[in-house]
Amino acid sequence: MDELNIENKIIVTALSNQKRAVFRDHFLELHFYDQMQLFASFTQQQRQRIYRFLSPKELGDMFDEFAEDETMVISYLKEMTPQLAANVLSEMFTDNTVDILGQMEKSDLATYLNLMPKDEIPEVRKLLNYDDKTAGALMTTEYVSIDQNKTVSTAMQIIRHQASDAEIIYYLYVLDDAQNLIGVVTLRDLMISDKRTEIKTIMNPYVYSVQVDDDQEDVAQKVREYDFLAVPVVNQAGHMLGIITVDDIIDVIDEESAEDYSGLAGVNVDDTKESPWSAALHRLPWLVTLLVLGMSTASLINHFDGLVSQASILAVFISLITGTAGNAGTQSLAIAIRKISVENDRKIWRLISNEVLTGVLIGIVTAVVITIIVGVWKHNFILGGVIGISMMVAIVVANLAGSLIPILMDKIGVDPAVASGPFISTLSDLTSVMIYFSIAQLFLKYLI
Amino acid sequence: MDELNIENKIIVTALSNQKRAVFRDHFLELHFYDQMQLFASFTQQQRQRIYRFLSPKELGDMFDEFAEDETMVISYLKEMTPQLAANVLSEMFTDNTVDILGQMEKSDLATYLNLMPKDEIPEVRKLLNYDDKTAGALMTTEYVSIDQNKTVSTAMQIIRHQASDAEIIYYLYVLDDAQNLIGVVTLRDLMISDKRTEIKTIMNPYVYSVQVDDDQEDVAQKVREYDFLAVPVVNQAGHMLGIITVDDIIDVIDEESAEDYSGLAGVNVDDTKESPWSAALHRLPWLVTLLVLGMSTASLINHFDGLVSQASILAVFISLITGTAGNAGTQSLAIAIRKISVENDRKIWRLISNEVLTGVLIGIVTAVVITIIVGVWKHNFILGGVIGISMMVAIVVANLAGSLIPILMDKIGVDPAVASGPFISTLSDLTSVMIYFSIAQLFLKYLI
């Protein structure tokens, strides 16, 4: 947007010339995201000036946009006086405040927390205690609630009053005296109703909520199904604790899919600005570990050295068998990782049997194909059969490993995406070679 | 929700006893998603009854929830009289109507289109013409617009009037006489403003929009950055054409991430209810193709048969080198696929050089490690060096292939996710073996 570039120039000029009013006029007109982008490009001197030109609330609104980059926000907060930093933190949406405090050194956290407005401290402390990746860790407490006996016009007044503080005003949550969530009414419902109507007659009593310790993936699934703009979070007793808005759900979906993807590839795909040095440093530990695992395959082939010396033709098909089994195993792994996040137990065990069965069917077809190809090529159908059967069994074993291992890891509490593609294919190299040479040994006299 | 199960029982009973009023009372209280779930469980006889019990608009609201399963909706529509089906289609949100018509046989499409209300036909025709996976194909035309000279109270009236037809009423789009999009105002802004304020004083003139032929991934990226609940779609002249709501963006995000993931794995992970038979049928073509590609690796090893006969120790390290290079190449591929969807050209070519450089660094370290391991194990450091250098070069080549190939495919218009993980690792098997044996040939006399 050219208009944006022009605006940015005006803002930067006003800042340099210390024209507070001009700066505020133009800067505050920008969308918060654009404020954030511009702010991130400033020098420390320019930033110090902005901390004086903007109010804590205005700074807080902008920092809400930085929410995922907690390290960056923390460095900015440290440039301010502790009291100002605490004020800015308290003006941010509570879910973001909590994310940032959670990334700090404990001493800094304590400092800022104690300087925040007294009424906010208990809430923030509570949210800090929720496990990462649960509804409790995602939620914010800035929602609008109302009593069911109030009227539509009272509801409208409440919304007007809270419009600048609540994270979302389009859903109102109906609570009873004990803070139980008993219904929800949308702003749309309010707009089409007569002003004197009581909330209880227009509210939806079937209100979908999530539990505070629900996994974030389950929350995302509910939002996907019901197309919510926000979903309320309750505890086991049914008391309303907070809401999660759809933009945070999008972040969860991105995070979860990046994890699954990274797991399959065996590399963290989110460090987008890595230099080759740090990329190599990150990937090496895992690659070297797999290298050591690959050495056991090498020593296995070494163990069968006598066999290979007698029938050197066997060496020709090593990579064909390990490669094909590896491809099949990776497919099973990919499907298992996706299914684990959405399915329940009973279906998961069926997943394994399905994958093994699929492996058998694939194995039979590939075995026939390869037997024919090798038999014709080398004029030796027993050789072809050895390769074919080895490949079939190797594929079935690879499919079994690819589906079973992530499930077992999930059961013992390790993220199944850790059972990465490279690990499964390296493991299947080992099993494939073992199967291949064992079968070849049986038919050795036909292969020499 | 137990309440839901109880409600469902009441509804099913009312339906069986042909109690229209009771059925309508309870069924229409349900969230649209729950109506859809219940409806999907009915028999054809029950469904025929429902087509009589509900109005076209009520049926349309429910079918909006089926939107992704066009085949299912089409089968339901065929159970109705053509006129009823056309009425139901016209009551659905236009983006869903267009998705469903787009999946029909042309004769059916023409039939229903001609029976729809005359004023709707041009709009639907236009949306049908947009390319799949662009903003035009995603958008709907049910939005609320207003003239900038109107007042807040007029705006509120307009919203009340359109509240049940518009897909979203929380953003109002400000258009001039020529339909140009000149601003946006939120319902939140309206609520906190005085009733007599003119729209032009409170609207945001910096309104973010997407072009009608923008790729759906770019649209999703904008929504991610700005946390929009809906984004307007304009043509090159700036005329407003429609909006895309955040729930559809979530579907786009899911679709795009499933594609990337499927591409990396070489298997379509979205066919979640496949039987082993159809799973095998779907995976086989690709696996057999890779098998044939793998045969070229086999014949390459065969070509070097003399070498292997003289130094059978070489066979021991085949799978180690191909496996490690394959793992490294898959990592490069994974990163390339992700980056292609979000970065621009200049950065993409840097991606390749980064990946190659990372490969060199990784290659050097793994070469040193393997040289030492093999040298000590086999008391032959020249052998170790051969394995080490081969591995290093194989890794660099694999990283090059893993990053270059998807980029080339993207340039010629093929989805880079087709350059799947299995293809890259099978290709790198070939290059790894070629490198390995060529280097081994040079040092043969030290290896015997």
Side-chain angles (χ1 to χ4, degrees):
Chain A
M1 286 181 77
D2 295 323
E3 301 158 40
L4 186 59
N5 285 333
I6 295 170
E7 277 301 299
N8 285 352
K9 285 192 175 73
I10 297 173
I11 291 167
V12 173
T13 311
L15 192 60
S16 308
N17 298 339
Q18 306 219 47
K19 304 280 188 195
R20 186 173 192 267
V22 177
F23 170 81
R24 285 177 57 84
D25 266 349
H26 288 267
F27 189 76
L28 295 172
E29 276 298 310
L30 297 180
H31 190 287
F32 294 138
Y33 179 81
D34 296 318
Q35 288 181 14
M36 180 263 276
Q37 296 273 72
L38 187 58
F39 184 85
S41 70
F42 286 147
T43 64
Q44 198 187 17
Q45 188 193 30
Q46 286 169 310
R47 290 199 294 272
Q48 287 293 353
R49 207 165 276 176
I50 292 175
Y51 300 150
R52 295 196 314 266
F53 282 8
L54 298 179
S55 71
K57 171 143 178 63
E58 289 156 350
L59 289 167
D61 284 341
M62 179 180 68
F63 281 167
D64 270 326
E65 296 296 311
F66 279 102
E68 276 142 56
D69 204 346
E70 294 103 355
T71 328
M72 186 115 287
V73 177
I74 292 173
S75 65
Y76 292 148
L77 293 172
K78 291 200 164 188
E79 294 174 346
M80 310 175 190
T81 62
Q83 183 62 63
L84 176 59
N87 292 347
V88 170
L89 276 167
S90 62
E91 292 290 352
M92 292 173 69
F93 287 128
T94 327
D95 54 346
N96 296 332
T97 308
V98 167
D99 282 342
I100 288 164
L101 287 174
Q103 293 291 322
M104 287 183 180
E105 298 293 324
K106 294 224 185 303
S107 49
D108 291 330
L109 191 162
T111 308
Y112 293 134
L113 199 54
N114 287 327
L115 291 171
M116 284 171 73
K118 291 283 165 278
D119 54 340
E120 297 222 14
I121 297 178
E123 208 164 273
V124 172
R125 277 200 196 287
K126 207 165 52 172
L127 291 180
L128 275 167
N129 281 328
Y130 290 116
D131 284 335
D132 206 24
K133 302 203 182 185
T134 60
L138 288 173
M139 72 184 184
T140 187
T141 47
E142 285 96 351
Y143 56 89
V144 189
S145 60
I146 192 167
D147 180 276
Q148 60 172 332
N149 299 309
K150 297 275 190 278
T151 60
V152 165
S153 68
T154 310
M156 296 292 241
Q157 279 177 5
I158 290 176
I159 290 175
R160 272 192 201 94
H161 191 70
Q162 302 197 13
S164 63
D165 293 328
E167 186 145 8
I168 190 166
I169 62 161
Y170 303 129
Y171 295 168
L172 276 87
Y173 298 95
V174 186
L175 310 180
D176 65 13
D177 298 326
Q179 282 279 100
N180 292 314
L181 177 62
I182 58 174
V184 64
V185 61
T186 67
L187 188 43
R188 193 194 290 244
D189 298 332
L190 292 179
M191 303 234 11
I192 60 177
S193 305
D194 180 273
K195 284 195 189 314
R196 294 155 300 180
T197 319
E198 285 181 337
I199 293 299
K200 62 188 170 198
T201 51
I202 57 171
M203 77 181 188
N204 183 350
Y206 299 121
V207 53
Y208 281 90
S209 60
V210 293
Q211 287 288 321
V212 70
D213 49 10
D214 277 348
D215 191 271
Q216 66 179 14
E217 274 187 292
D218 297 328
V219 178
Q221 188 60 18
K222 267 225 163 92
V223 171
R224 260 194 202 95
E225 289 173 354
Y226 291 95
D227 295 342
F228 290 144
L229 299 180
V231 61
V233 183
V234 298
N235 61 14
Q236 276 177 314
H239 297 151
M240 177 129 182
L241 300 178
I243 59 171
I244 301 170
T245 48
V246 67
D247 55 295
D248 288 334
I249 289 298
I250 286 182
D251 294 338
V252 166
I253 291 175
D254 284 339
E255 186 184 321
E256 293 287 334
S257 75
E259 263 185 32
D260 287 350
Y261 188 82
S262 295
L264 194 61
V267 64
N268 187 338
V269 294
D270 260 345
D271 298 327
T272 46
K273 295 180 179 48
E274 276 197 311
S275 70
W277 286 106
S278 57
L281 224 63
H282 281 136
R283 297 185 210 178
L284 269 169
W286 192 220
L287 271 178
V288 171
T289 308
L290 293 177
L291 193 75
V292 172
L293 179 58
M295 277 307 297
S296 39
T297 308
S299 47
L300 186 65
I301 302 177
N302 189 57
H303 172 76
F304 282 99
D305 187 53
L307 184 66
V308 176
S309 303
Q310 293 180 70
S312 61
I313 189 68
L314 290 173
V316 169
F317 300 102
I318 293 177
S319 62
L320 184 72
I321 293 174
T322 57
T324 309
N327 290 342
T330 304
Q331 292 177 334
S332 293
L333 174 69
I335 298 208
I337 288 178
R338 291 285 277 204
K339 283 216 169 159
I340 284 171
S341 38
V342 292
E343 299 281 1
N344 55 40
D345 262 7
R346 197 174 27 92
K347 292 187 180 180
I348 280 184
W349 295 109
R350 186 190 299 175
L351 164 71
I352 298 178
S353 56
N354 271 1
E355 284 304 309
V356 169
L357 199 47
T358 305
V360 169
L361 296 169
I362 288 173
I364 289 174
V365 175
T366 48
V368 167
V369 170
I370 206 64
T371 301
I372 294 173
I373 291 178
V374 173
V376 168
W377 181 33
K378 290 289 172 184
H379 311 297
N380 185 340
F381 278 90
I382 296 192
L383 171 67
V386 165
I387 307 300
I389 292 174
S390 303
M391 184 172 287
M392 180 175 97
V393 180
I395 287 174
V396 172
V397 170
N399 273 24
L400 177 63
S403 49
L404 183 63
I405 287 175
I407 289 174
L408 285 179
M409 295 184 88
D410 185 53
K411 290 266 167 259
I412 65 174
V414 178
D415 190 336
V418 166
S420 68
F423 173 69
I424 293 294
S425 65
T426 306
L427 188 67
S428 102
D429 284 351
L430 185 63
T431 55
S432 301
V433 164
M434 201 179 317
I435 291 163
Y436 178 31
F437 284 151
S438 306
I439 292 176
Q441 185 97 63
L442 295 174
F443 293 88
L444 183 54
K445 59 182 191 280
Y446 300 99
L447 307 175
I448 299 175
Chain B
M1 285 181 77
D2 295 321
E3 303 159 37
L4 186 58
N5 286 332
I6 296 171
E7 277 301 297
N8 285 353
K9 284 191 176 72
I10 297 175
I11 291 168
V12 173
T13 312
L15 191 61
S16 308
N17 298 339
Q18 307 222 47
K19 302 280 186 197
R20 185 171 192 266
V22 177
F23 170 80
R24 285 178 56 84
D25 265 350
H26 289 265
F27 189 76
L28 295 172
E29 275 299 311
L30 297 180
H31 191 288
F32 294 137
Y33 179 80
D34 297 318
Q35 289 181 12
M36 179 265 276
Q37 295 272 74
L38 186 58
F39 184 86
S41 71
F42 287 147
T43 64
Q44 197 190 18
Q45 189 193 30
Q46 286 168 311
R47 291 199 293 272
Q48 287 292 356
R49 206 164 280 176
I50 291 174
Y51 301 150
R52 292 195 316 266
F53 282 9
L54 297 179
S55 71
K57 172 144 178 61
E58 289 156 352
L59 289 167
D61 285 342
M62 180 181 67
F63 280 167
D64 270 327
E65 294 297 310
F66 279 102
E68 277 143 55
D69 203 345
E70 295 103 357
T71 328
M72 186 115 290
V73 177
I74 292 173
S75 66
Y76 293 147
L77 293 172
K78 292 201 163 186
E79 292 174 348
M80 309 174 190
T81 63
Q83 183 63 65
L84 176 59
N87 292 347
V88 170
L89 276 167
S90 62
E91 289 291 351
M92 291 175 70
F93 287 127
T94 327
D95 55 345
N96 295 333
T97 307
V98 166
D99 283 342
I100 288 164
L101 288 174
Q103 293 291 320
M104 287 184 180
E105 298 293 325
K106 293 222 186 303
S107 50
D108 292 330
L109 192 162
T111 307
Y112 293 134
L113 200 54
N114 287 327
L115 291 171
M116 284 170 73
K118 292 283 166 281
D119 54 341
E120 296 221 16
I121 297 180
E123 208 164 272
V124 172
R125 278 201 195 285
K126 208 167 48 170
L127 290 180
L128 275 167
N129 279 329
Y130 290 116
D131 285 335
D132 206 24
K133 301 203 184 186
T134 60
L138 287 173
M139 71 184 184
T140 189
T141 48
E142 285 97 348
Y143 56 90
V144 189
S145 60
I146 193 167
D147 182 278
Q148 61 173 331
N149 298 309
K150 299 274 191 278
T151 60
V152 166
S153 68
T154 309
M156 296 293 240
Q157 279 179 5
I158 291 176
I159 291 175
R160 270 188 203 97
H161 190 71
Q162 300 196 16
S164 63
D165 292 329
E167 186 144 8
I168 189 165
I169 61 161
Y170 303 130
Y171 295 168
L172 276 88
Y173 298 96
V174 187
L175 310 182
D176 66 12
D177 297 326
Q179 282 277 100
N180 293 312
L181 177 61
I182 57 175
V184 64
V185 60
T186 67
L187 188 43
R188 194 194 288 245
D189 298 332
L190 292 178
M191 302 229 19
I192 58 177
S193 306
D194 180 270
K195 284 195 187 319
R196 293 156 299 180
T197 319
E198 285 182 335
I199 293 298
K200 62 187 170 197
T201 52
I202 58 171
M203 77 181 187
N204 184 351
Y206 300 121
V207 53
Y208 281 90
S209 59
V210 293
Q211 286 289 318
V212 69
D213 49 9
D214 278 349
D215 191 271
Q216 65 179 16
E217 273 186 294
D218 298 330
V219 178
Q221 188 59 19
K222 270 226 160 91
V223 171
R224 260 194 202 94
E225 290 172 352
Y226 290 96
D227 296 342
F228 291 143
L229 299 180
V231 61
V233 184
V234 298
N235 62 13
Q236 276 177 317
H239 298 151
M240 178 131 180
L241 300 178
I243 59 170
I244 301 172
T245 50
V246 67
D247 55 294
D248 288 333
I249 288 300
I250 286 182
D251 293 339
V252 167
I253 291 173
D254 284 342
E255 186 183 321
E256 293 286 336
S257 76
E259 265 185 31
D260 287 350
Y261 186 84
S262 295
L264 194 61
V267 63
N268 188 338
V269 294
D270 260 345
D271 298 328
T272 46
K273 295 181 179 49
E274 276 198 310
S275 70
W277 285 106
S278 59
L281 223 64
H282 280 137
R283 299 185 209 178
L284 269 170
W286 191 221
L287 272 178
V288 171
T289 308
L290 293 177
L291 193 75
V292 172
L293 178 59
M295 279 304 299
S296 39
T297 309
S299 47
L300 186 66
I301 302 177
N302 189 58
H303 172 76
F304 283 99
D305 186 56
L307 185 67
V308 175
S309 303
Q310 294 180 69
S312 61
I313 189 64
L314 290 173
V316 169
F317 299 101
I318 293 178
S319 62
L320 185 71
I321 292 173
T322 58
T324 309
N327 289 343
T330 303
Q331 291 176 335
S332 293
L333 173 70
I335 297 207
I337 288 179
R338 289 286 276 203
K339 282 213 170 161
I340 286 172
S341 38
V342 293
E343 299 281 2
N344 56 38
D345 262 5
R346 196 172 29 93
K347 290 188 181 178
I348 280 184
W349 294 109
R350 186 191 298 177
L351 165 71
I352 298 178
S353 54
N354 272 1
E355 284 304 309
V356 169
L357 199 47
T358 306
V360 170
L361 295 169
I362 288 174
I364 291 172
V365 175
T366 47
V368 168
V369 170
I370 207 64
T371 302
I372 293 171
I373 291 178
V374 173
V376 168
W377 182 31
K378 289 290 171 185
H379 312 297
N380 185 342
F381 277 89
I382 297 195
L383 171 67
V386 166
I387 307 301
I389 293 173
S390 304
M391 186 171 286
M392 181 175 97
V393 181
I395 287 174
V396 173
V397 170
N399 273 24
L400 177 63
S403 49
L404 183 64
I405 287 177
I407 289 173
L408 287 178
M409 297 185 86
D410 185 53
K411 290 267 167 258
I412 66 175
V414 178
D415 190 336
V418 166
S420 67
F423 173 69
I424 294 295
S425 65
T426 305
L427 187 67
S428 100
D429 284 351
L430 185 63
T431 54
S432 301
V433 165
M434 201 178 318
I435 291 162
Y436 177 32
F437 284 152
S438 305
I439 292 176
Q441 185 97 63
L442 295 175
F443 294 87
L444 183 54
K445 59 182 190 279
Y446 302 99
L447 307 176
I448 296 174

